[in-house]
Amino acid sequence: MKTTTDRVPQNRLVRTEIPGPRSRELMARRNTAIPAGVGTTLGVFVARAGGGIIEDVDGNRLIDFASGISVTNVGNSAPRVVAAVTEQVELFTHTCFQVTPYLGYVEVCERLNQLAPGAHEKRTFLMNSGAEAVENAVKVARYATGRSAVVAFDHGFHGRTLMGMSLTGKAMPYKQGFGPFAPEVYRAPYSDPLRGTGKLAQTIDTLETMVGAASIACVVVEPIAGEGGFVVPEPGWLPGLAQWCAAHGVVLVADEIQSGFGRTGTWFACEHEGVVPDIVTTAKSLGGGLPISAVTGRADLMDKVHPGGLGGTFGGNPLACAAALAAFDTMETESLLERARRIGTVMLDRLGAMAASNPAVAEARGRGAMVAIELVGPDGTTPDKGAAARVAAACHAQGLLVLSAGTYGNVVRLLPPLVIPDDLLDEGLGILEAAVSAP
Ligand SMILES: *Cc1c(COP(=O)(O)O)cnc(C)c1O
């Protein structure tokens, strides 16, 4: 088994301007083949990647604080993932699980049933993308409850399909011009401790008075708002919401597509507050870089749906299942939950110091290796989207890949692979510090 360091040298290297000449050439070609609607954060074309490094076609080596949006938690082309997929691709590539099944699919579901919060009996089925997992969680919740209303929250992001974007709480770029949206979708306030909004009582009041408990099939909630800016709800908000749902027969769907699979230092972010959701969706990092998603839920809910009501041609593809099993093994063998907590401590220490010394940084926040800074104007509260864009651009120019986020676009989020070496993590944080303190 080739190690990551054999494949990709673990050092930052800026040989050209970024993007370099070869990347610029390829971007021009990309732009004549691909619609503008498919955005690009940074137009560097990738040659290879692994550990904490992305190497581009100009030979630059960027420090990776993005993980392909929290997908490569175990690293790019992680050795166990490569070995497992290589073995599987020579055996069979596809049969469709609903035509003739295979063991890998069952094993992924067993692992998720065992790891998802709660000791109750669970069932899991597999899809391809996060949006599909969310769609299917809603299908199960509606079927099982016989109710139609679905509640999502401010700052929520749940994908780009019709239901996914209907649930999403941000117009640009996700919804603008794409309506009409799915009916029976309602929005409630999400706890935002920085601004003191979305108190639990207000959230529950919205559910009760504006939607009506008896109509609600499910609430779909991110334990930490991901795309919405890594907003960590006030302590007690999520448990209070869970309690209210249980009392009213409302299915609690935790969308852990970004926050799950060890990103926050526990398998699921719900665990930080002891919350046990009825259904949990996973995707992003589940497949170690291959596309796969899952819906895991209470057996009594999941088993209600009639045979044939759930599934899809590619859901739980054999290669993706092999990759997911190898990703689980990598998390355990390399103690990556512990590593996520350690990364989180290092990042929050440095970012916290930034927030304390720089009034433009309203807050450093997050859990485990899912942390962010929120940038604001001189009044200390007005979101400063331009500042976030400037910080990201300055980082990119220095060979550090970061992502922005936030309902107002004023958040810089950090999602390094959990296998990033310490020296690259430190170096990346230094670059970010310099970018934030630049005038
Ligand atoms: C990324 C994301 C999705 C959508 O996943 P896709 O694979 O892009 O469809 C849904 N929910 C959350 C919380 C996400 O972060």
Side-chain angles (χ1 to χ4, degrees), residues 129-131 157-159 222 255 257-258 284:
S129 68
F157 178 81
H158 302 286
E222 293 169 89
D255 182 347
I257 287 166
Q258 190 158 165
K284 290 200 160 85

Side-chain angles (χ1 to χ4, degrees), residues 100-410:
T100 48
Y102 38 89
L103 181 58
Y105 187 117
V106 178
E107 287 179 327
V108 172
C109 296
E110 287 172 345
R111 296 288 279 267
L112 284 166
N113 291 342
Q114 180 211 332
L115 291 172
H120 56 279
E121 200 173 336
K122 294 168 208 139
R123 301 281 187 268
T124 292
F125 63 101
L126 304 177
M127 303 302 297
N128 307 287
S129 68
E132 268 189 304
V134 171
E135 294 267 348
N136 278 278
V138 171
K139 277 171 69 173
V140 170
R142 281 179 164 165
Y143 197 109
T145 59
R147 303 173 181 177
S148 59
V150 179
V151 178
F153 295 87
D154 297 336
H155 308 302
F157 178 81
H158 302 286
R160 294 168 177 273
T161 56
L162 179 58
M163 179 54 76
M165 69 175 170
S166 300
L167 292 169
T168 291
K170 185 175 174 180
M172 273 304 279
Y174 306 120
K175 305 176 76 159
Q176 191 77 52
F178 298 134
F181 302 107
E184 287 304 304
V185 172
Y186 301 87
R187 192 162 309 284
Y190 190 81
S191 169
D192 181 352
L194 177 65
R195 296 194 159 71
T197 54
K199 298 283 185 200
L200 179 62
Q202 186 197 353
T203 302
I204 288 175
D205 183 58
T206 301
L207 299 176
E208 288 186 343
T209 61
M210 288 155 93
V211 195
S215 309
I216 305 176
C218 60
V219 304
V220 182
V221 64
E222 293 169 89
I224 298 174
E227 193 61 38
F230 287 17
V231 182
V232 184
E234 188 170 74
W237 184 85
L238 199 59
L241 180 66
Q243 218 168 40
W244 183 87
C245 287
H248 293 87
V250 171
V251 175
L252 177 70
V253 178
D255 182 347
E256 293 249 18
I257 287 166
Q258 190 158 165
S259 59
F261 208 79
R263 173 51 59 184
T264 68
T266 52
W267 278 110
F268 295 90
C270 275
E271 294 171 49
H272 291 284
E273 285 205 274
V275 167
V276 177
D278 301 302
I279 294 179
V280 55
T281 54
T282 46
K284 290 200 160 85
S285 54
L286 173 62
L290 270 73
I292 186 170
S293 67
V295 182
T296 301
R298 273 168 40 201
D300 60 312
L301 297 176
M302 303 283 279
D303 281 341
K304 280 211 169 100
V305 179
H306 54 265
L310 304 171
T313 306
F314 285 116
N317 169 269
L319 302 182
C321 287
L325 292 171
F328 278 117
D329 288 345
T330 304
M331 290 293 294
E332 279 162 7
T333 316
E334 298 185 15
S335 305
L336 293 183
L337 292 182
E338 228 176 285
R339 181 73 189 144
R341 293 193 285 272
R342 166 89 192 126
I343 290 171
T345 305
V346 169
M347 291 198 298
L348 269 183
D349 273 2
R350 297 273 291 269
L351 301 181
M354 255 183 246
S357 64
N358 190 334
V361 182
E363 190 177 46
R365 61 177 177 246
R367 287 195 203 275
M370 183 173 183
V371 306
I373 49 173
E374 174 158 352
L375 297 163
V376 291
D379 66 352
T381 51
T382 304
D384 192 344
K385 182 177 175 171
R390 280 193 300 278
V391 166
C395 290
H396 295 166
Q398 294 297 313
L400 170 69
L401 181 60
V402 297
L403 302 170
S404 60
T407 301
Y408 303 100
N410 65 321

